């Protein structure tokens, strides 16, 4: 799991978020004469959020203190059962998660310049390579699947359903 | 009335219209089953096609799409833990665990049969008592709506899982995200930080599929799953005995009525009804701890309520001309397109079309159960496609769906943002469903609060003195106290970590 201080971190972070919401809401101008303007709800929500983020932080401190005695939490036990079922071959690692995110960001960022068709082929192919285990990495199959599905999605949505997916450089 | 219904059946019993309904249901099921594509999109895409048809044929096609679109969401919900539509969020809670332990066939049987019966019940209610029900819904002003939304928000407590404060926090985050963009009533742009793209706020679709679908992909990336579950597929159990169905009778009826009731109220709709029905089933069960671990009752509750919401949402549309959600708004457009005047007089002036719509709904419901049962074995085979092939394709479809909402890339960016948020929330132990509930209900809460205060000229009292509002607020307060009391009792007991 992340760290034993996860609740402390998330609570503190959310406290900052609630303060930002509260401060931002002061710039909202009431365009009606009503007492309750556009700033009312955000302020109420920010205050409640602040209260609960403090509760989460404080109980997080208590938990990380008592966590030194315990070794496994029920969540971990549950996860282990699941892992047995799914035949996991590698240990958890956050690197592929970050690479996946980078792939997705690249995909979306280049979508309107390069076009949906090409970017989707590239993305699906690379993401398959990343998600698959080395023993299942059939490069030609992945290439075929990514080209066929991308072309099918592109044709179907552009020409049948008229969703104007970006054409990019081939347009 | 029955002769009118027979006349309605007479007018749709042509080969052309039956084919249209079947095609509508099939296309609706496809749209509903792909995360990112929804019933709303299916109807929006097909609306122009109906222009050349006569009114009954056109509306029949749209009804098929609506029924199919709401029902299709159960397929990915059970198989992949991805809600295909907001209507099947709660189906993932128990449907997916059932599929995981080798009972996808059973989960499908429960889900399909309850979808059918929930839809049937609500269509019958729609046919029998649409006008009086519509009038009741019209009695609900901002004070009553505010109270209902508050009541619905208290359900977050039951959805929170391990930590109540984290569940509430997730709900508050949902409300906050819904505040981005133009404020209700006066449209003042909030939390846009100078980006004009943010003025319209976040759309529900990217929020939902980002949180649920993208986060799953990130989780899969974490541990490189080698295989799916195909080893178990050989001995899939499809049979659900009559006795097992009967055991869900009361649960089914309660969930359908919840779906119907929530469907009638404009703006709340199927996305909320399945969660509320799930919570109701869980809290009235003798073994609430079995929920979330593959209890069929959870699947039944979710699927019967979301299909019952279809009939419910049509009540105000047919009887008053008021759309309750985006799909019915689209259907309203369909009526107008064919020169029909929606409103209280629709029944009188174009009774033939209205009863044609009723007949089309009943037929569409039958097609829905037929198609789902025929396709069931094929859907389950989806499980044998390795996740590393399936997930990248799903992401591409999510991008298409998010883009298709408004044809702009901002929604695709929002999809990624909520995907990362969903992943982090799972990692830090925050439940996702309260966020969605807060996101849907937050704007309703604020709109009705401010509308009510304008009506009462700044006086808060009518929120408490309106009898319907007061009743809902009392129930809300009671349920909060009940949850706190239960939590307290549990903490006193041996295990603190019990759900």
């Amino acid at each position: 799991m992340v760290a034993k201080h996860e609740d402390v971190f998330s609570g503190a972070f959310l406290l900052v978020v609630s303060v930002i919401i509260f401060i931002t809401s002061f710039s909202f101008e009431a365009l009606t004469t009503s007492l309750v303007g556009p700033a009312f709800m955000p302020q109420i929500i920010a205050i409640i959020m602040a209260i609960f983020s403090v509760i989460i932080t404080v109980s997080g401190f208590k938990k990380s203190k008592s966590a030194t005695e315990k070794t496994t939490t029920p969540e971990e036990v549950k996860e282990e059962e699941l892992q047995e079922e799914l035949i996991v071959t590698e240990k958890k690692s956050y690197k592929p998660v970050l690479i996946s995110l980078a792939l997705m960001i690249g995909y979306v960022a280049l979508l309107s310049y390069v076009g949906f068709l090409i970017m989707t082929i590239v993305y699906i192919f690379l993401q398959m390579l990343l998600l698959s285990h080395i023993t299942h990495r059939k490069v030609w199959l992945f290439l075929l699947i990514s080209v066929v599905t991308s072309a099918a999605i592109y044709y179907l949505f552009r020409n049948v359903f008229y969703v104007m997916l970006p054409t990019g450089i081939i347009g | 009335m029955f002769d009118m219904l027979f006349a309605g059946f007479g007018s749709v019993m042509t080969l052309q219209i039956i084919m249209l309904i079947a095609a509508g249901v099939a296309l609706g099921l496809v749209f509903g089953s792909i995360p990112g594509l929804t019933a709303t999109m299916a109807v929006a895409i097909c609306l122009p096609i109906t222009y050349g048809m006569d009114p009954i044929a056109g509306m029949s096609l749209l009804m098929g799409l609506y029924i199919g679109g709401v029902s299709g969401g159960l397929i990915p919900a059970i198989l992949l833990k991805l809600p295909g539509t907001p209507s099947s969020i709660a189906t993932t809670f128990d449907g997916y665990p059932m599929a995981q332990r080798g009972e996808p066939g059973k989960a499908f049987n429960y889900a399909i049969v309850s979808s059918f019966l929930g839809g049937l019940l609500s269509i019958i209610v729609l046919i029998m008592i649409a006008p009086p029900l519509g009038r009741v819904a019209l009695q609900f002003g901002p004070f009553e709506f505010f109270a209902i939304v508050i009541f619905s928000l208290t359900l977050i407590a039951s959805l929170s899982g391990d930590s109540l404060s984290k569940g509430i926090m997730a709900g508050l985050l949902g409300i906050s995200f819904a505040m981005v963009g133009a404020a209700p009533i006066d449209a003042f742009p909030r939390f846009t930080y100078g980006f004009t793209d943010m003025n319209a706020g976040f759309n529900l679709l990217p929020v939902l599929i980002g949180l649920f679908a993208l986060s799953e992909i990130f989780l899969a990336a974490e541990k490189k799953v080698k295989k799916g579950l195909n080893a178990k597929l050989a001995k899939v159990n499809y049979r659900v005995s009559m006795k097992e169905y009967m055991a869900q009778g009361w649960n089914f009826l309660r969930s359908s009525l919840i779906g119907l009731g929530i469907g009638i109220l404009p703006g709340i709709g199927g996305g909320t009804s399945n969660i509320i029905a799930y919570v109701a089933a869980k809290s009235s069960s003798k073994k609430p701890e079995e929920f979330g671990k593959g209890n069929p009752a959870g699947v039944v509750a979710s699927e019967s309520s979301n299909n019952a919401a279809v009939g419910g949402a049509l009540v105000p549309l047919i009887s008053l001309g008021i759309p309750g959600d985006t799909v019915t708004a689209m259907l309203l457009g369909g009526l107008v397109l064919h020169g029909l005047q929606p409103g209280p007089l629709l029944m009188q002036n174009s009774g033939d079309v209205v009863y044609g719509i009723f007949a089309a709904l009943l037929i569409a419901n039958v097609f829905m159960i037929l198609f789902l049962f025929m396709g069931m074995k094929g859907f389950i085979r989806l499980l044998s496609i390795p996740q590393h092939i399936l997930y990248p394709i799903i992401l591409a479809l999510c991008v298409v769906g998010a883009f298709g909402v408004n044809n702009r890339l901002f929604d695709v960016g929002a999809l990624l943002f909520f995907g990362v948020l969903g992943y982090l929330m799972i990692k830090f132990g925050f439940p996702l469903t309260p966020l969605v509930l807060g996101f849907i209900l937050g704007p309703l809460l604020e709109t009705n609060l401010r509308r009510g205060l304008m009506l009462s000229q700044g006086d808060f009292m009518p929120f408490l003195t309106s009898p319907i509002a007061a009743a809902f607020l009392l129930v809300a307060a009671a349920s909060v106290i009940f949850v706190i009391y239960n939590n307290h009792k549990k903490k006193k007991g041996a295990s603190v970590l019990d759900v």
Side-chain angles (χ1 to χ4, degrees):
Chain A
M1 293 270 96
V2 184
K4 54 183 182 178
H5 301 300
E6 51 175 60
D7 285 3
V8 181
F9 289 136
S10 57
F13 176 74
L14 289 164
L15 186 64
V16 175
V17 171
S18 62
V19 170
I20 292 173
I21 294 177
F22 197 75
I23 292 171
T24 309
S25 69
F26 278 105
S27 64
F28 300 160
E29 295 154 38
L31 303 177
T32 51
T33 49
S34 168
L35 246 162
V36 171
F40 179 74
M41 266 284 275
Q43 283 168 1
I44 297 267
I45 296 294
I47 292 167
I48 306 174
M49 261 177 88
I51 294 169
F52 277 97
S53 54
V54 170
I55 293 176
I56 291 172
T57 316
V58 170
S59 63
F61 266 121
K62 281 183 195 162
K63 222 165 78 180
S64 45
K65 259 186 197 167
S66 65
T68 43
E69 295 144 34
K70 280 198 190 107
T71 42
T72 47
T73 66
E75 277 154 303
E76 278 165 330
V77 175
K78 212 162 66 185
E79 208 129 274
E80 271 162 22
E81 281 170 51
L82 235 135
Q83 285 179 354
E84 271 172 21
E85 269 180 28
L86 293 171
I87 319 168
V88 175
T89 49
E90 266 178 38
K91 271 188 187 166
K92 264 188 215 172
S93 136
Y94 293 109
K95 211 170 127 196
V97 178
L98 290 175
I99 301 174
S100 294
L101 180 62
L103 277 179
M104 290 179 198
I105 291 174
Y107 173 36
V108 173
L110 295 174
L111 206 54
S112 56
Y113 304 108
V114 183
F116 180 84
L117 186 60
I118 296 170
M119 280 319 292
T120 306
I121 294 173
V122 172
Y123 167 77
I124 290 185
F125 180 68
L126 292 178
Q127 183 77 72
M128 279 181 187
L129 282 184
L130 183 75
L131 285 180
S132 59
H133 186 257
I134 192 101
T135 53
H136 286 73
R137 210 164 278 170
K138 299 168 193 144
V139 176
W140 288 107
L141 177 74
F142 289 178
L143 202 60
L144 183 73
I145 293 174
S146 48
V147 170
V148 170
T149 49
S150 304
I153 293 171
Y154 184 71
Y155 175 79
L156 192 69
F157 281 93
R158 245 194 107 78
N159 298 325
V160 182
F161 296 141
Y162 296 105
V163 173
M164 285 301 126
L165 297 167
T167 47
I169 49 177
I170 56 163
Chain B
M1 192 188 75
F2 283 103
D3 47 322
M4 288 291 278
L5 191 59
F6 280 122
F9 268 104
S11 61
V12 296
M13 277 296 179
T14 67
L15 187 66
Q16 184 220 359
I17 294 182
I18 296 286
M19 295 293 283
L20 278 175
I21 298 173
V25 174
L27 191 64
L29 284 173
V30 171
F31 267 69
S33 63
I34 297 173
L37 308 181
T38 58
T40 314
M41 275 173 105
V43 173
I45 285 163
C46 290
L47 201 55
I49 306 173
T50 67
Y51 192 65
M53 304 174 187
D54 70 275
I56 294 180
M59 291 312 288
S60 298
L61 172 68
L62 298 182
M63 291 303 147
L65 287 168
Y66 192 10
I67 298 248
V70 172
S71 311
L74 66 89
I75 302 168
I78 291 173
L79 294 178
L80 305 165
K81 206 177 152 193
L82 308 177
T85 63
S87 303
S88 29
I89 296 172
T91 311
T92 60
F93 300 165
D94 283 291
Y96 182 70
M98 278 182 85
Q100 287 294 299
R101 65 166 189 237
E103 297 180 341
K106 265 187 135 168
F108 269 115
N109 268 322
Y110 276 117
I112 296 169
V113 171
S114 18
S115 291
F116 174 75
L117 291 176
L120 188 67
L121 185 89
S122 77
I123 297 166
I124 291 172
V125 171
L126 169 71
I127 297 172
M128 308 285 268
I129 47 172
L133 268 183
R135 252 174 266 134
V136 171
L138 208 59
Q139 298 285 316
F140 280 53
F143 308 119
E144 287 80 11
F145 261 105
F146 178 80
I148 290 177
V149 173
I150 290 280
F151 164 71
S152 307
L153 282 171
T154 59
L155 296 174
I156 285 174
S158 317
L159 291 164
S160 297
D162 297 330
S163 161
L164 184 61
S165 43
K166 282 184 175 177
I168 294 170
M169 193 48 132
L172 291 168
L173 276 175
I175 299 176
S176 312
F177 282 120
M179 289 189 301
V180 173
I185 314 287
D186 49 21
F188 184 86
R190 295 186 296 191
F191 302 107
T192 56
Y193 299 104
F195 295 102
T196 44
D197 268 339
M198 304 263 279
N199 281 352
F202 295 114
N203 189 285
L204 172 63
L205 190 79
V207 173
L208 180 79
I209 55 184
L211 285 177
F212 285 92
L214 258 65
S215 60
E216 277 305 308
I217 299 176
F218 288 129
L219 286 175
E222 212 173 68
K223 34 189 184 188
K224 295 210 176 188
V225 177
K226 196 172 166 187
K227 262 187 181 174
L229 289 149
N230 39 0
K232 280 185 180 172
L233 281 181
K235 44 170 185 170
V236 166
N237 183 9
Y238 290 94
R239 291 281 302 267
V240 179
S241 70
M242 208 56 211
K243 208 177 133 199
E244 285 175 289
Y245 279 129
M246 294 309 280
Q248 301 294 339
W250 171 235
N251 175 20
F252 155 75
L253 195 67
R254 180 189 49 230
S255 309
S256 297
L257 291 177
I258 290 173
L260 188 67
I262 290 173
I264 292 173
L265 298 170
I268 306 188
T272 322
S273 72
N274 69 94
I275 299 172
I276 295 181
Y278 182 86
V279 171
K282 184 179 171 184
S283 49
S284 63
S285 163
K286 281 179 194 123
K287 295 170 186 159
E289 70 279 1
E290 280 183 8
F291 278 76
K293 291 170 189 160
N295 189 335
V299 178
V300 171
S302 170
E303 282 304 318
S304 50
S305 66
N306 65 20
N307 279 68
V310 170
L314 289 171
V315 167
L317 179 75
I318 301 268
S319 60
L320 305 164
I322 298 170
D325 56 12
T326 45
V327 187
T328 43
M330 221 70 88
L331 295 176
L332 186 83
L335 285 171
V336 176
L337 199 72
H338 288 107
L340 303 167
Q341 186 57 52
L345 292 176
L346 181 70
M347 206 75 128
Q348 275 177 37
N349 295 343
S350 337
D352 54 332
V353 179
V354 172
Y355 278 93
I357 291 175
F358 291 160
L361 279 169
L362 288 168
I363 295 170
N365 207 33
V366 174
F367 273 122
M368 183 269 290
I369 190 171
L370 277 180
F371 287 165
L372 280 175
F373 268 124
M374 284 184 334
M376 189 163 70
K377 288 192 180 170
F379 305 144
I380 293 172
R381 214 158 288 149
L382 262 178
L383 280 179
S384 58
I385 300 177
Q387 285 181 333
H388 62 256
I389 292 179
L390 204 55
Y391 278 171
I393 299 173
I394 288 177
L395 183 110
L397 285 167
C398 290
V399 167
V400 174
F403 183 79
V405 177
N406 289 315
N407 280 337
R408 55 184 199 149
L409 279 169
F410 172 75
D411 290 313
V412 185
L415 172 81
L416 288 190
F417 171 77
F418 283 99
V420 174
L421 180 75
Y423 175 71
L424 290 176
M425 282 176 69
I426 293 172
K427 286 279 121 187
F428 283 90
F430 286 82
L432 297 178
T433 317
L435 194 153
V436 178
L437 207 61
F439 187 83
I440 298 174
L441 295 174
L444 285 171
L445 185 75
E446 186 174 11
T447 309
N448 286 298
L449 174 71
R450 293 186 60 188
R451 207 177 273 162
L453 286 175
M454 280 164 91
L455 210 68
S456 66
Q457 295 178 327
D459 186 6
F460 280 93
M461 278 317 280
F463 285 101
L464 302 172
T465 51
S466 147
I468 304 176
F472 271 103
L473 288 177
L474 268 180
V475 177
S479 76
V480 169
I481 293 168
F482 179 74
V483 168
I484 293 173
Y485 171 77
N486 257 10
N487 267 23
H488 187 69
K489 208 169 65 179
K490 244 182 243 160
K491 285 215 171 125
K492 269 190 169 173
S495 86
V496 190
L497 293 152
D498 213 27
V499 179

